[in-house]
PDB file of all heavy atoms in Angstrom:
ATOM      1  N   LEU A   5       8.059  25.518  16.676  1.00  0.00           N
ATOM      2  CA  LEU A   5       7.142  26.628  16.410  1.00  0.00           C
ATOM      3  C   LEU A   5       7.525  27.377  15.135  1.00  0.00           C
ATOM      4  O   LEU A   5       6.656  27.885  14.427  1.00  0.00           O
ATOM      5  CB  LEU A   5       7.142  27.599  17.593  1.00  0.00           C
ATOM      6  CG  LEU A   5       6.218  27.274  18.764  1.00  0.00           C
ATOM      7  CD1 LEU A   5       6.463  28.241  19.916  1.00  0.00           C
ATOM      8  CD2 LEU A   5       4.757  27.331  18.332  1.00  0.00           C
ATOM      9  N   ALA A   6       8.819  27.452  14.855  1.00  0.00           N
ATOM     10  CA  ALA A   6       9.283  28.184  13.674  1.00  0.00           C
ATOM     11  C   ALA A   6       8.815  27.536  12.378  1.00  0.00           C
ATOM     12  O   ALA A   6       8.826  28.182  11.324  1.00  0.00           O
ATOM     13  CB  ALA A   6      10.806  28.303  13.691  1.00  0.00           C
ATOM     14  N   LEU A   7       8.391  26.273  12.421  1.00  0.00           N
ATOM     15  CA  LEU A   7       7.864  25.601  11.231  1.00  0.00           C
ATOM     16  C   LEU A   7       6.442  26.058  10.907  1.00  0.00           C
ATOM     17  O   LEU A   7       5.968  25.860   9.794  1.00  0.00           O
ATOM     18  CB  LEU A   7       7.856  24.085  11.435  1.00  0.00           C
ATOM     19  CG  LEU A   7       9.206  23.382  11.614  1.00  0.00           C
ATOM     20  CD1 LEU A   7       8.978  21.899  11.880  1.00  0.00           C
ATOM     21  CD2 LEU A   7      10.079  23.579  10.385  1.00  0.00           C
ATOM     22  N   LYS A   8       5.767  26.661  11.887  1.00  0.00           N
ATOM     23  CA  LYS A   8       4.366  27.038  11.710  1.00  0.00           C
ATOM     24  C   LYS A   8       4.247  28.367  10.969  1.00  0.00           C
ATOM     25  O   LYS A   8       5.190  29.166  10.914  1.00  0.00           O
ATOM     26  CB  LYS A   8       3.685  27.178  13.082  1.00  0.00           C
ATOM     27  CG  LYS A   8       3.894  26.019  14.040  1.00  0.00           C
ATOM     28  CD  LYS A   8       3.183  24.769  13.590  1.00  0.00           C
ATOM     29  CE  LYS A   8       3.328  23.664  14.626  1.00  0.00           C
ATOM     30  NZ  LYS A   8       2.678  22.400  14.193  1.00  0.00           N
ATOM     31  N   SER A   9       3.056  28.601  10.437  1.00  0.00           N
ATOM     32  CA  SER A   9       2.756  29.921   9.891  1.00  0.00           C
ATOM     33  C   SER A   9       2.639  30.911  11.058  1.00  0.00           C
ATOM     34  O   SER A   9       2.519  30.514  12.216  1.00  0.00           O
ATOM     35  CB  SER A   9       1.443  29.889   9.105  1.00  0.00           C
ATOM     36  OG  SER A   9       0.349  29.674   9.986  1.00  0.00           O
ATOM     37  N   ASP A  10       2.671  32.198  10.757  1.00  0.00           N
ATOM     38  CA  ASP A  10       2.559  33.200  11.817  1.00  0.00           C
ATOM     39  C   ASP A  10       1.261  33.047  12.599  1.00  0.00           C
ATOM     40  O   ASP A  10       1.247  33.191  13.828  1.00  0.00           O
ATOM     41  CB  ASP A  10       2.648  34.607  11.219  1.00  0.00           C
ATOM     42  CG  ASP A  10       4.063  34.968  10.802  1.00  0.00           C
ATOM     43  OD1 ASP A  10       5.005  34.285  11.257  1.00  0.00           O
ATOM     44  OD2 ASP A  10       4.227  35.928  10.016  1.00  0.00           O
ATOM     45  N   ASP A  11       0.158  32.775  11.902  1.00  0.00           N
ATOM     46  CA  ASP A  11      -1.129  32.635  12.577  1.00  0.00           C
ATOM     47  C   ASP A  11      -1.140  31.419  13.500  1.00  0.00           C
ATOM     48  O   ASP A  11      -1.627  31.489  14.633  1.00  0.00           O
ATOM     49  CB  ASP A  11      -2.267  32.514  11.555  1.00  0.00           C
ATOM     50  CG  ASP A  11      -2.543  33.829  10.842  1.00  0.00           C
ATOM     51  OD1 ASP A  11      -2.099  34.878  11.354  1.00  0.00           O
ATOM     52  OD2 ASP A  11      -3.191  33.799   9.778  1.00  0.00           O
ATOM     53  N   GLU A  12      -0.603  30.288  13.015  1.00  0.00           N
ATOM     54  CA  GLU A  12      -0.545  29.080  13.839  1.00  0.00           C
ATOM     55  C   GLU A  12       0.356  29.297  15.045  1.00  0.00           C
ATOM     56  O   GLU A  12       0.019  28.904  16.176  1.00  0.00           O
ATOM     57  CB  GLU A  12      -0.030  27.903  13.015  1.00  0.00           C
ATOM     58  CG  GLU A  12      -0.989  27.404  11.961  1.00  0.00           C
ATOM     59  CD  GLU A  12      -0.347  26.305  11.128  1.00  0.00           C
ATOM     60  OE1 GLU A  12       0.776  26.492  10.642  1.00  0.00           O
ATOM     61  OE2 GLU A  12      -0.983  25.249  10.975  1.00  0.00           O
ATOM     62  N   ALA A  13       1.514  29.919  14.804  1.00  0.00           N
ATOM     63  CA  ALA A  13       2.451  30.164  15.899  1.00  0.00           C
ATOM     64  C   ALA A  13       1.836  31.099  16.940  1.00  0.00           C
ATOM     65  O   ALA A  13       1.969  30.863  18.147  1.00  0.00           O
ATOM     66  CB  ALA A  13       3.750  30.753  15.357  1.00  0.00           C
ATOM     67  N   ALA A  14       1.157  32.150  16.481  1.00  0.00           N
ATOM     68  CA  ALA A  14       0.546  33.101  17.414  1.00  0.00           C
ATOM     69  C   ALA A  14      -0.506  32.418  18.288  1.00  0.00           C
ATOM     70  O   ALA A  14      -0.589  32.673  19.495  1.00  0.00           O
ATOM     71  CB  ALA A  14      -0.076  34.264  16.645  1.00  0.00           C
ATOM     72  N   ALA A  15      -1.306  31.544  17.672  1.00  0.00           N
ATOM     73  CA  ALA A  15      -2.330  30.826  18.434  1.00  0.00           C
ATOM     74  C   ALA A  15      -1.690  29.910  19.480  1.00  0.00           C
ATOM     75  O   ALA A  15      -2.165  29.815  20.619  1.00  0.00           O
ATOM     76  CB  ALA A  15      -3.210  30.016  17.484  1.00  0.00           C
ATOM     77  N   LEU A  16      -0.599  29.239  19.108  1.00  0.00           N
ATOM     78  CA  LEU A  16       0.078  28.346  20.053  1.00  0.00           C
ATOM     79  C   LEU A  16       0.769  29.136  21.166  1.00  0.00           C
ATOM     80  O   LEU A  16       0.800  28.689  22.317  1.00  0.00           O
ATOM     81  CB  LEU A  16       1.091  27.476  19.309  1.00  0.00           C
ATOM     82  CG  LEU A  16       0.490  26.320  18.514  1.00  0.00           C
ATOM     83  CD1 LEU A  16       1.519  25.715  17.567  1.00  0.00           C
ATOM     84  CD2 LEU A  16      -0.064  25.238  19.452  1.00  0.00           C
ATOM     85  N   VAL A  17       1.303  30.303  20.832  1.00  0.00           N
ATOM     86  CA  VAL A  17       1.931  31.139  21.860  1.00  0.00           C
ATOM     87  C   VAL A  17       0.895  31.586  22.876  1.00  0.00           C
ATOM     88  O   VAL A  17       1.140  31.565  24.091  1.00  0.00           O
ATOM     89  CB  VAL A  17       2.633  32.357  21.219  1.00  0.00           C
ATOM     90  CG1 VAL A  17       3.056  33.362  22.294  1.00  0.00           C
ATOM     91  CG2 VAL A  17       3.839  31.907  20.422  1.00  0.00           C
ATOM     92  N   ARG A  18      -0.282  31.992  22.405  1.00  0.00           N
ATOM     93  CA  ARG A  18      -1.349  32.390  23.332  1.00  0.00           C
ATOM     94  C   ARG A  18      -1.758  31.222  24.223  1.00  0.00           C
ATOM     95  O   ARG A  18      -1.979  31.391  25.434  1.00  0.00           O
ATOM     96  CB  ARG A  18      -2.561  32.906  22.543  1.00  0.00           C
ATOM     97  CG  ARG A  18      -2.348  34.260  21.880  1.00  0.00           C
ATOM     98  CD  ARG A  18      -3.661  34.848  21.393  1.00  0.00           C
ATOM     99  NE  ARG A  18      -4.267  34.036  20.342  1.00  0.00           N
ATOM    100  CZ  ARG A  18      -4.045  34.197  19.048  1.00  0.00           C
ATOM    101  NH1 ARG A  18      -3.208  35.141  18.633  1.00  0.00           N
ATOM    102  NH2 ARG A  18      -4.653  33.444  18.153  1.00  0.00           N
ATOM    103  N   ARG A  19      -1.829  30.036  23.641  1.00  0.00           N
ATOM    104  CA  ARG A  19      -2.202  28.859  24.421  1.00  0.00           C
ATOM    105  C   ARG A  19      -1.107  28.518  25.433  1.00  0.00           C
ATOM    106  O   ARG A  19      -1.407  28.184  26.581  1.00  0.00           O
ATOM    107  CB  ARG A  19      -2.436  27.677  23.476  1.00  0.00           C
ATOM    108  CG  ARG A  19      -2.900  26.412  24.182  1.00  0.00           C
ATOM    109  CD  ARG A  19      -3.246  25.333  23.177  1.00  0.00           C
ATOM    110  NE  ARG A  19      -3.423  24.044  23.819  1.00  0.00           N
ATOM    111  CZ  ARG A  19      -3.603  22.899  23.169  1.00  0.00           C
ATOM    112  NH1 ARG A  19      -3.659  22.904  21.841  1.00  0.00           N
ATOM    113  NH2 ARG A  19      -3.741  21.764  23.821  1.00  0.00           N
ATOM    114  N   CYS A  20       0.137  28.623  25.021  1.00  0.00           N
ATOM    115  CA  CYS A  20       1.247  28.370  25.951  1.00  0.00           C
ATOM    116  C   CYS A  20       1.190  29.331  27.133  1.00  0.00           C
ATOM    117  O   CYS A  20       1.350  28.932  28.292  1.00  0.00           O
ATOM    118  CB  CYS A  20       2.588  28.516  25.232  1.00  0.00           C
ATOM    119  SG  CYS A  20       2.995  27.170  24.105  1.00  0.00           S
ATOM    120  N   ASN A  21       0.994  30.618  26.854  1.00  0.00           N
ATOM    121  CA  ASN A  21       0.933  31.610  27.918  1.00  0.00           C
ATOM    122  C   ASN A  21      -0.234  31.356  28.866  1.00  0.00           C
ATOM    123  O   ASN A  21      -0.124  31.571  30.074  1.00  0.00           O
ATOM    124  CB  ASN A  21       0.828  33.016  27.331  1.00  0.00           C
ATOM    125  CG  ASN A  21       2.158  33.536  26.829  1.00  0.00           C
ATOM    126  OD1 ASN A  21       3.215  33.051  27.230  1.00  0.00           O
ATOM    127  ND2 ASN A  21       2.128  34.522  25.937  1.00  0.00           N
ATOM    128  N   ALA A  22      -1.350  30.893  28.314  1.00  0.00           N
ATOM    129  CA  ALA A  22      -2.525  30.628  29.145  1.00  0.00           C
ATOM    130  C   ALA A  22      -2.294  29.441  30.079  1.00  0.00           C
ATOM    131  O   ALA A  22      -2.821  29.408  31.200  1.00  0.00           O
ATOM    132  CB  ALA A  22      -3.749  30.374  28.268  1.00  0.00           C
ATOM    133  N   GLU A  23      -1.490  28.478  29.626  1.00  0.00           N
ATOM    134  CA  GLU A  23      -1.277  27.263  30.398  1.00  0.00           C
ATOM    135  C   GLU A  23      -0.022  27.300  31.269  1.00  0.00           C
ATOM    136  O   GLU A  23       0.091  26.528  32.222  1.00  0.00           O
ATOM    137  CB  GLU A  23      -1.191  26.055  29.452  1.00  0.00           C
ATOM    138  CG  GLU A  23      -2.462  25.803  28.647  1.00  0.00           C
ATOM    139  CD  GLU A  23      -2.317  24.666  27.655  1.00  0.00           C
ATOM    140  OE1 GLU A  23      -1.202  24.100  27.567  1.00  0.00           O
ATOM    141  OE2 GLU A  23      -3.308  24.343  26.971  1.00  0.00           O
ATOM    142  N   ALA A  24       0.925  28.195  30.946  1.00  0.00           N
ATOM    143  CA  ALA A  24       2.216  28.189  31.626  1.00  0.00           C
ATOM    144  C   ALA A  24       2.200  29.057  32.879  1.00  0.00           C
ATOM    145  O   ALA A  24       1.407  30.001  33.006  1.00  0.00           O
ATOM    146  CB  ALA A  24       3.306  28.678  30.684  1.00  0.00           C
ATOM    147  N   GLU A  25       3.100  28.740  33.794  1.00  0.00           N
ATOM    148  CA  GLU A  25       3.280  29.587  34.970  1.00  0.00           C
ATOM    149  C   GLU A  25       3.914  30.895  34.524  1.00  0.00           C
ATOM    150  O   GLU A  25       4.553  30.970  33.462  1.00  0.00           O
ATOM    151  CB  GLU A  25       4.153  28.883  35.998  1.00  0.00           C
ATOM    152  CG  GLU A  25       5.523  28.489  35.495  1.00  0.00           C
ATOM    153  CD  GLU A  25       6.275  27.662  36.497  1.00  0.00           C
ATOM    154  OE1 GLU A  25       5.938  26.474  36.660  1.00  0.00           O
ATOM    155  OE2 GLU A  25       7.194  28.224  37.119  1.00  0.00           O
ATOM    156  N   PRO A  26       3.751  31.981  35.316  1.00  0.00           N
ATOM    157  CA  PRO A  26       4.220  33.307  34.887  1.00  0.00           C
ATOM    158  C   PRO A  26       5.670  33.353  34.425  1.00  0.00           C
ATOM    159  O   PRO A  26       5.996  34.051  33.460  1.00  0.00           O
ATOM    160  CB  PRO A  26       4.013  34.159  36.147  1.00  0.00           C
ATOM    161  CG  PRO A  26       2.860  33.499  36.844  1.00  0.00           C
ATOM    162  CD  PRO A  26       3.035  32.026  36.595  1.00  0.00           C
ATOM    163  N   ALA A  27       6.561  32.598  35.081  1.00  0.00           N
ATOM    164  CA  ALA A  27       7.984  32.642  34.720  1.00  0.00           C
ATOM    165  C   ALA A  27       8.244  32.122  33.315  1.00  0.00           C
ATOM    166  O   ALA A  27       9.293  32.430  32.729  1.00  0.00           O
ATOM    167  CB  ALA A  27       8.799  31.849  35.738  1.00  0.00           C
ATOM    168  N   MET A  28       7.320  31.334  32.772  1.00  0.00           N
ATOM    169  CA  MET A  28       7.519  30.740  31.452  1.00  0.00           C
ATOM    170  C   MET A  28       6.705  31.446  30.366  1.00  0.00           C
ATOM    171  O   MET A  28       6.728  31.022  29.218  1.00  0.00           O
ATOM    172  CB  MET A  28       7.151  29.259  31.476  1.00  0.00           C
ATOM    173  CG  MET A  28       8.063  28.404  32.314  1.00  0.00           C
ATOM    174  SD  MET A  28       7.628  26.650  32.179  1.00  0.00           S
ATOM    175  CE  MET A  28       8.852  25.923  33.279  1.00  0.00           C
ATOM    176  N   GLN A  29       5.981  32.507  30.698  1.00  0.00           N
ATOM    177  CA  GLN A  29       5.191  33.228  29.709  1.00  0.00           C
ATOM    178  C   GLN A  29       6.083  34.170  28.899  1.00  0.00           C
ATOM    179  O   GLN A  29       7.116  34.626  29.375  1.00  0.00           O
ATOM    180  CB  GLN A  29       4.071  34.006  30.398  1.00  0.00           C
ATOM    181  CG  GLN A  29       3.038  33.112  31.059  1.00  0.00           C
ATOM    182  CD  GLN A  29       1.993  33.882  31.831  1.00  0.00           C
ATOM    183  OE1 GLN A  29       2.035  35.113  31.914  1.00  0.00           O
ATOM    184  NE2 GLN A  29       1.043  33.162  32.413  1.00  0.00           N
ATOM    185  N   VAL A  30       5.684  34.433  27.657  1.00  0.00           N
ATOM    186  CA  VAL A  30       6.474  35.292  26.767  1.00  0.00           C
ATOM    187  C   VAL A  30       5.605  36.417  26.225  1.00  0.00           C
ATOM    188  O   VAL A  30       4.372  36.326  26.217  1.00  0.00           O
ATOM    189  CB  VAL A  30       7.066  34.478  25.593  1.00  0.00           C
ATOM    190  CG1 VAL A  30       8.008  33.403  26.096  1.00  0.00           C
ATOM    191  CG2 VAL A  30       5.951  33.857  24.738  1.00  0.00           C
ATOM    192  N   ALA A  31       6.255  37.479  25.773  1.00  0.00           N
ATOM    193  CA  ALA A  31       5.540  38.587  25.129  1.00  0.00           C
ATOM    194  C   ALA A  31       5.242  38.185  23.690  1.00  0.00           C
ATOM    195  O   ALA A  31       6.170  37.920  22.911  1.00  0.00           O
ATOM    196  CB  ALA A  31       6.388  39.848  25.177  1.00  0.00           C
ATOM    197  N   GLY A  32       3.958  38.123  23.336  1.00  0.00           N
ATOM    198  CA  GLY A  32       3.530  37.579  22.047  1.00  0.00           C
ATOM    199  C   GLY A  32       4.207  38.196  20.835  1.00  0.00           C
ATOM    200  O   GLY A  32       4.839  37.492  20.034  1.00  0.00           O
ATOM    201  N   ALA A  33       4.111  39.518  20.676  1.00  0.00           N
ATOM    202  CA  ALA A  33       4.659  40.180  19.481  1.00  0.00           C
ATOM    203  C   ALA A  33       6.174  40.017  19.409  1.00  0.00           C
ATOM    204  O   ALA A  33       6.733  39.716  18.351  1.00  0.00           O
ATOM    205  CB  ALA A  33       4.281  41.657  19.494  1.00  0.00           C
ATOM    206  N   ALA A  34       6.848  40.204  20.528  1.00  0.00           N
ATOM    207  CA  ALA A  34       8.304  40.080  20.547  1.00  0.00           C
ATOM    208  C   ALA A  34       8.731  38.645  20.259  1.00  0.00           C
ATOM    209  O   ALA A  34       9.747  38.415  19.583  1.00  0.00           O
ATOM    210  CB  ALA A  34       8.850  40.526  21.909  1.00  0.00           C
ATOM    211  N   PHE A  35       7.954  37.692  20.744  1.00  0.00           N
ATOM    212  CA  PHE A  35       8.310  36.292  20.528  1.00  0.00           C
ATOM    213  C   PHE A  35       8.157  35.914  19.060  1.00  0.00           C
ATOM    214  O   PHE A  35       8.970  35.164  18.517  1.00  0.00           O
ATOM    215  CB  PHE A  35       7.439  35.380  21.395  1.00  0.00           C
ATOM    216  CG  PHE A  35       7.863  33.931  21.347  1.00  0.00           C
ATOM    217  CD1 PHE A  35       8.911  33.483  22.127  1.00  0.00           C
ATOM    218  CD2 PHE A  35       7.222  33.029  20.516  1.00  0.00           C
ATOM    219  CE1 PHE A  35       9.318  32.154  22.082  1.00  0.00           C
ATOM    220  CE2 PHE A  35       7.615  31.702  20.452  1.00  0.00           C
ATOM    221  CZ  PHE A  35       8.672  31.268  21.247  1.00  0.00           C
ATOM    222  N   LEU A  36       7.119  36.411  18.397  1.00  0.00           N
ATOM    223  CA  LEU A  36       6.939  36.133  16.976  1.00  0.00           C
ATOM    224  C   LEU A  36       8.083  36.729  16.155  1.00  0.00           C
ATOM    225  O   LEU A  36       8.520  36.139  15.161  1.00  0.00           O
ATOM    226  CB  LEU A  36       5.594  36.673  16.495  1.00  0.00           C
ATOM    227  CG  LEU A  36       4.353  35.945  17.037  1.00  0.00           C
ATOM    228  CD1 LEU A  36       3.077  36.617  16.542  1.00  0.00           C
ATOM    229  CD2 LEU A  36       4.367  34.475  16.634  1.00  0.00           C
ATOM    230  N   THR A  37       8.583  37.902  16.564  1.00  0.00           N
ATOM    231  CA  THR A  37       9.750  38.479  15.911  1.00  0.00           C
ATOM    232  C   THR A  37      10.969  37.586  16.124  1.00  0.00           C
ATOM    233  O   THR A  37      11.791  37.386  15.211  1.00  0.00           O
ATOM    234  CB  THR A  37      10.038  39.882  16.478  1.00  0.00           C
ATOM    235  OG1 THR A  37       8.907  40.733  16.230  1.00  0.00           O
ATOM    236  CG2 THR A  37      11.270  40.492  15.814  1.00  0.00           C
ATOM    237  N   HIS A  38      11.072  37.027  17.332  1.00  0.00           N
ATOM    238  CA  HIS A  38      12.164  36.098  17.628  1.00  0.00           C
ATOM    239  C   HIS A  38      12.079  34.855  16.737  1.00  0.00           C
ATOM    240  O   HIS A  38      13.108  34.354  16.267  1.00  0.00           O
ATOM    241  CB  HIS A  38      12.106  35.696  19.103  1.00  0.00           C
ATOM    242  CG  HIS A  38      12.997  34.553  19.461  1.00  0.00           C
ATOM    243  ND1 HIS A  38      14.377  34.632  19.443  1.00  0.00           N
ATOM    244  CD2 HIS A  38      12.706  33.274  19.838  1.00  0.00           C
ATOM    245  CE1 HIS A  38      14.891  33.471  19.797  1.00  0.00           C
ATOM    246  NE2 HIS A  38      13.902  32.632  20.032  1.00  0.00           N
ATOM    247  N   LEU A  39      10.865  34.359  16.484  1.00  0.00           N
ATOM    248  CA  LEU A  39      10.705  33.186  15.619  1.00  0.00           C
ATOM    249  C   LEU A  39      11.193  33.471  14.199  1.00  0.00           C
ATOM    250  O   LEU A  39      11.710  32.574  13.525  1.00  0.00           O
ATOM    251  CB  LEU A  39       9.238  32.737  15.591  1.00  0.00           C
ATOM    252  CG  LEU A  39       8.710  31.974  16.796  1.00  0.00           C
ATOM    253  CD1 LEU A  39       7.276  31.510  16.547  1.00  0.00           C
ATOM    254  CD2 LEU A  39       9.597  30.775  17.140  1.00  0.00           C
ATOM    255  N   GLU A  40      11.025  34.698  13.752  1.00  0.00           N
ATOM    256  CA  GLU A  40      11.544  35.068  12.430  1.00  0.00           C
ATOM    257  C   GLU A  40      13.062  34.904  12.398  1.00  0.00           C
ATOM    258  O   GLU A  40      13.628  34.445  11.401  1.00  0.00           O
ATOM    259  CB  GLU A  40      11.157  36.511  12.099  1.00  0.00           C
ATOM    260  CG  GLU A  40       9.707  36.691  11.683  1.00  0.00           C
ATOM    261  CD  GLU A  40       9.403  35.976  10.369  1.00  0.00           C
ATOM    262  OE1 GLU A  40      10.316  35.829   9.525  1.00  0.00           O
ATOM    263  OE2 GLU A  40       8.258  35.535  10.200  1.00  0.00           O
TER     264      GLU A  40
END
């Protein structure tokens, strides 16, 4: 994910959260900061 642009990464994070069980979901803004 860190290879992606911020926009691409954000879109994939939203898709991951939509498809993942609650225990595997992440906070979008905080996760993008983590990718930095």
Side-chain angles (χ1 to χ4, degrees):
L5 275 173
L7 296 177
K8 311 291 184 182
S9 68
D10 286 343
D11 288 343
E12 290 176 310
L16 284 167
V17 169
R18 289 193 296 270
R19 183 174 168 187
C20 287
N21 282 340
E23 298 176 358
E25 58 187 74
M28 293 184 181
Q29 294 175 358
V30 298
F35 187 81
L36 291 177
T37 299
H38 169 68
L39 283 185
E40 284 295 331

